[in-house]
Amino acid sequence: MKTFSLLRSPAVRDSLGIGVAVGAAGLAFGTAAVAAGLSPAQALFLSLFMFTGASQFALVGVIAGGGSLVAGALGALLLGARNTLYGLRLADVLGYRGARRALAAHGVIDETAAVTLVQPDRESARTAFMTTYVVLGGFWVATTLVGALATDRVSDIDAFGLDAVGPAIFLGLLWPRLREGGPRTWLIAGLGAGLALAATPFLAPGVPVLLAASAALLSFVGANEANSPDSGADQTEEVRS
């Protein structure tokens, strides 16, 4: 009965839904990776050990555009840096120590952080984190392999338009953030896109992506404004809501 009750808990229910839905996107990554020139084994390795979707798509996107592996890796690291901030918060919430903490660090991504941080207590937080990590990770790796193997068997990738999968999926990942963001989010996105487009004719593939990431520095301006004395009332009202 205890196991059945646990499976019906909001922490497990939400984690299962997110894990299955997001994990299925590994199919697109497997396709994009092979279309960019990676082997199925390389695509599988990235999903197993890198395990952060946006950074993986950024890496194969740079490679697909003819960029160097170094440029792709740097772009992926920039996108993955936010996971470090998640980890600082989750370390206190989960309270893991030793080997369990090291294992949990591999599973710190947007989805696990989002599900974990809304839980009311540590036990629910741990349940939500591990459920999302295991389910999403398992589906992500499995669907990556399926997508990579299926694409590897296609003789002419360009004929099916599979070379456009990576950029299309990456834009799909960005769109929810743009839709929910305010004018500042659109300003940063527009500036980043403008920098990339302006630099593309003059710089090596992959470098414009790194240059565009500098637009994110504007977010720190917003953070400084939020910490100003005049913003105290707004922050109090936000917490109450």
Side-chain angles (χ1 to χ4, degrees), residues 128-149:
F129 178 85
M130 291 307 299
T131 303
T132 306
Y133 178 26
V134 172
V135 175
L136 195 160
F139 270 83
W140 181 260
V141 171
T143 54
T144 293
L145 182 59
V146 171
L149 290 175

Side-chain angles (χ1 to χ4, degrees), residues 14-35:
D14 295 343
S15 300
L16 287 173
I18 291 175
V20 173
V22 179
L27 187 68
F29 173 71
T31 299
V34 173

Side-chain angles (χ1 to χ4, degrees), residues 166-238:
I169 292 296
F170 195 69
L171 288 175
L173 292 171
L174 292 176
W175 177 247
R177 300 179 185 275
L178 293 175
R179 185 179 58 187
E180 298 169 4
R184 181 176 296 277
T185 301
W186 282 95
L187 174 62
I188 293 173
L191 180 59
L195 287 172
L197 289 174
T200 296
F202 307 104
L203 300 178
V207 177
V209 175
L210 300 178
L211 182 63
S214 64
L217 294 175
L218 286 177
S219 63
F220 291 103
V221 176
N224 291 334
E225 291 177 356
N227 290 328
S228 65
D230 295 337
S231 65
D234 294 337
Q235 290 178 346
T236 302
E237 183 63 29
E238 182 178 351

Side-chain angles (χ1 to χ4, degrees), residues 32-38 56-69 71-73 158 162-168 196 199-201 203-209:
V34 173
L38 275 66
Q56 290 180 228
F57 277 112
L59 175 61
V60 299
V62 171
I63 295 175
S68 67
L69 183 60
D158 292 339
L162 296 180
D163 55 320
V165 170
T200 296
L203 300 178
V207 177
V209 175

Side-chain angles (χ1 to χ4, degrees), residues 6-181:
L6 179 64
L7 292 175
R8 295 188 60 184
S9 68
V12 173
R13 185 178 63 244
D14 295 343
S15 300
L16 287 173
I18 291 175
V20 173
V22 179
L27 187 68
F29 173 71
T31 299
V34 173
L38 275 66
S39 68
Q42 290 171 325
L44 183 63
F45 179 87
L46 285 175
S47 285
L48 274 171
F49 295 99
M50 194 172 183
F51 188 54
T52 173
S55 295
Q56 290 180 228
F57 277 112
L59 175 61
V60 299
V62 171
I63 295 175
S68 67
L69 183 60
V70 173
L74 287 175
L77 284 172
L78 285 175
L79 282 172
R82 69 191 187 283
N83 293 336
T84 302
L85 302 179
Y86 295 155
L88 294 175
R89 181 71 181 96
L90 290 178
D92 293 332
V93 174
L94 297 174
Y96 289 139
R97 294 291 183 270
R100 295 180 69 185
R101 186 169 187 170
L103 176 63
H106 180 259
V108 176
I109 55 176
D110 293 339
E111 291 77 15
T112 54
V115 174
T116 301
L117 292 176
V118 298
Q119 302 306 317
D121 53 68
R122 174 166 289 179
E123 182 179 357
S124 297
R126 287 181 171 181
T127 299
F129 178 85
M130 291 307 299
T131 303
T132 306
Y133 178 26
V134 172
V135 175
L136 195 160
F139 270 83
W140 181 260
V141 171
T143 54
T144 293
L145 182 59
V146 171
L149 290 175
T151 307
D152 192 49
R153 292 180 177 274
V154 177
S155 58
D156 188 0
I157 293 176
D158 292 339
F160 288 88
L162 296 180
D163 55 320
V165 170
I169 292 296
F170 195 69
L171 288 175
L173 292 171
L174 292 176
W175 177 247
R177 300 179 185 275
L178 293 175
R179 185 179 58 187
E180 298 169 4

